[in-house]
Amino acid sequence: MKIAIASDHAAVDLKAELADWLRAEGHEVDDLGPATADRVDYPDFGYKLAAAVASGAAERGIALCGSGIGISIAVNRNPACRCALVSEPLSAALSREHNDANVLAMGARLTGVDMAKACVSAFLSTDFGGGRHAGRVEKLSQPAL
């Protein structure tokens, strides 16, 4: 699977560990940055990740920042993205099964490497359930204001 991954400075180490692990698992990983722990703004990298997923350049995305909150908000500004902030594997699986999430967000200050890998594994191995969820998911990309 082609996976785009991005973070802010607070999550650059977790991003590198996950990218290496995903490559070892056989996935194609596009690391969208940053390359160092120098201070950056998470919206810039969230928007970049969202564009990669929305355009089809990546099938799925992984968004990381200190808490996971800020970057998930940035990704979700793109109507083609459904980014789920999770901290454990069940939520990661349900985000796929019920919400057809195409981006997973986590907080590096809150989620350890092993738990992050478990979340990513659940996210990547779970299919969208469709059925009663399909109409709801479609509404997520077309908000009625």
Side-chain angles (χ1 to χ4, degrees):
M1 184 177 295
K2 180 141 187 191
I3 302 164
I5 189 167
S7 72
D8 71 355
H9 55 279
V12 74
D13 291 338
L14 179 59
K15 178 177 62 75
E17 288 205 41
L18 290 176
D20 289 345
W21 171 72
L22 286 165
R23 287 183 186 107
E25 293 288 310
H27 298 285
E28 184 180 343
V29 179
D30 188 6
D31 186 338
L32 302 176
T36 70
D38 294 340
R39 187 189 130 353
V40 297
D41 296 328
Y42 58 80
D44 298 335
F45 292 91
Y47 296 150
K48 193 174 186 179
L49 178 64
V53 172
S55 73
E59 297 169 68
R60 303 264 176 87
I62 299 172
L64 308 165
C65 68
S67 68
I69 297 168
I71 202 163
S72 68
I73 292 170
V75 170
N76 278 321
R77 297 283 185 204
N78 187 313
C81 292
R82 293 170 304 282
C83 181
L85 173 60
V86 306
S87 59
E88 41 69 36
L90 179 57
S91 294
L94 290 173
S95 78
R96 288 285 310 130
E97 184 181 345
H98 291 190
N99 310 112
D100 198 19
N102 51 12
V103 180
L104 184 73
M106 294 179 287
R109 293 181 179 139
L110 307 172
T111 307
V113 174
D114 291 338
M115 183 59 74
K117 287 178 182 178
C119 290
V120 170
S121 183
F123 178 72
L124 296 178
S125 65
T126 303
D127 292 325
F128 177 48
R132 71 181 195 273
H133 304 293
R136 297 171 186 152
V137 169
E138 186 165 324
K139 287 181 179 184
L140 293 173
S141 296
Q142 302 171 4
L145 301 177

